[in-house]
Amino acid sequence: MPAFAWDDGTVPYVTTPMEVVERMMILGGVKEGDRVIDLGSGDGRIVVAAAKRGASGLGVDLDPSLVKLATQNAQKAGVAGRARFEVRDIFETDLSSASVVTMYLLPDFNAKLLPRFLALKPGTRIVSHDGGIGDWPADETLQMRTPEKPVGIGGNSRIDLWIVPADSPGTWTSQIPQHRGTWNFQVGQRYQVLDLQVRADGRDLLVRNTRLRGEEVKLVITGIVRNRAWHHYFVGQTRGDTIEGELTVSDGNNKVVYPWLAKRAR
């Protein structure tokens, strides 16, 4: 099989080194029960690798000869029952069933797919080899040297992971009777990046750190509540208009954990 070819005249087909494939599986956390969709699947190696980990997979490509080759490779690997390949346009592929989407495409193509990625279920992982997705910042990035890479200079590869974020902007309220009653969270959001303002006990508190990773939200907040300095660590899962989890409160000497439930005003 050639190392470099063309499929539809616009997207170059380049094989992904197996070392990169394995790192993509690791970064994407591909495991048994996952549904992997590979866009521009070539010889099928990414879907085959996912199937070997117990996932089911679909690879789509415009080149019928590559789809045939990928199907044969899945059969040889003994995973034909979990790896399927189809001749299909990536822009006409239904991604809604995927828990993981993988790709090795041109950045311009990735950017066109951005709205469709953001519409996927929160927590869906997207893994790309050598290509960003518009201005969406990656959640994790891995860079590695791959001397066997057939294109580029220096054999460098970059693998990026994005996790589709939950929809979180708005005004959220929590009742924490064990720790000074009503808390108000004013949340702004751009992709997975939160802009947060918090008020409790009539005071604005300092937001030190935030992270939104799929449906999981983590907040680190410090400040004076009832004339004492406190460190607050919120961890919860976002489900529609509710966040449920726990709050760990510390004054530097003692630590207490309370249940945390936040509701969004509509």
Side-chain angles (χ1 to χ4, degrees):
M1 184 184 65
F4 185 92
W6 293 86
D7 51 18
D8 66 348
T10 57
V11 180
Y13 164 53
V14 184
T15 57
T16 301
M18 285 307 303
E19 190 176 14
V20 173
V21 173
E22 288 304 311
R23 295 302 194 283
M24 292 176 74
M25 296 295 102
I26 294 170
L27 198 62
V30 177
K31 61 187 182 304
E32 184 175 356
D34 273 325
R35 169 68 168 170
V36 177
I37 297 180
D38 186 34
L39 302 178
S41 51
D43 66 1
R45 58 183 62 191
I46 289 177
V47 174
V48 168
K52 287 181 177 179
R53 288 172 171 257
S56 64
L58 169 66
V60 299
D61 204 292
L62 281 177
D63 189 335
S65 65
L66 288 175
V67 170
K68 181 179 179 180
L69 175 62
T71 301
Q72 293 172 345
N73 287 340
Q75 292 170 345
K76 292 177 183 177
V79 295
R82 294 194 300 274
R84 181 164 55 93
F85 299 91
E86 295 182 1
V87 178
R88 191 183 297 180
D89 188 323
I90 61 174
F91 295 105
E92 297 177 0
T93 300
D94 182 2
L95 304 177
S96 61
S97 66
S99 57
V100 183
V101 178
T102 58
M103 57 194 180
Y104 184 15
L105 303 172
L106 295 173
D108 287 349
F109 279 67
N110 295 354
K112 291 178 182 178
L113 290 164
L114 173 58
R116 297 185 60 201
F117 291 150
L118 291 174
L120 295 176
K121 180 181 177 181
T124 302
R125 292 98 74 196
I126 301 165
V127 186
S128 174
H129 176 204
D130 280 353
I133 307 177
D135 62 349
W136 185 8
D139 287 276
E140 295 183 33
T141 297
L142 171 66
Q143 292 183 309
M144 58 186 293
R145 294 187 63 81
T146 48
E148 70 273 29
K149 190 174 179 180
V151 297
I153 299 174
N156 293 312
S157 285
R158 173 174 171 152
I159 306 167
D160 289 306
L161 168 70
W162 295 262
I163 302 175
V164 177
D167 176 62
S168 300
T171 300
W172 298 77
T173 302
S174 292
Q175 297 298 327
I176 309 175
Q178 307 95 327
H179 198 71
R180 311 313 183 220
T182 302
W183 286 61
N184 293 304
F185 305 82
Q186 189 65 44
V187 181
Q189 179 179 355
R190 179 171 174 76
Y191 301 122
Q192 72 273 44
V193 180
L194 300 180
D195 180 14
L196 182 66
Q197 297 178 17
V198 180
R199 189 171 180 82
D201 196 29
R203 293 176 179 266
D204 293 325
L205 303 183
L206 177 63
V207 180
R208 292 195 174 275
N209 285 299
T210 68
R211 190 182 80 179
L212 179 62
R213 189 177 175 92
E215 295 178 316
E216 181 191 63
V217 61
K218 292 185 176 183
L219 313 174
V220 177
I221 299 167
T222 59
I224 303 296
V225 178
R226 296 285 175 90
N227 301 317
R228 290 183 63 185
W230 296 95
H231 179 277
H232 310 87
Y233 178 43
F234 293 85
V235 179
Q237 294 290 321
T238 305
R239 301 283 192 273
D241 289 333
T242 65
I243 302 174
E244 190 167 2
E246 63 181 30
L247 162 63
T248 302
V249 178
S250 172
D251 63 0
N253 296 312
N254 303 295
K255 183 188 299 184
V256 182
V257 179
Y258 302 119
W260 175 41
L261 176 66
K263 295 185 177 181
R264 175 164 48 186
R266 285 293 189 181

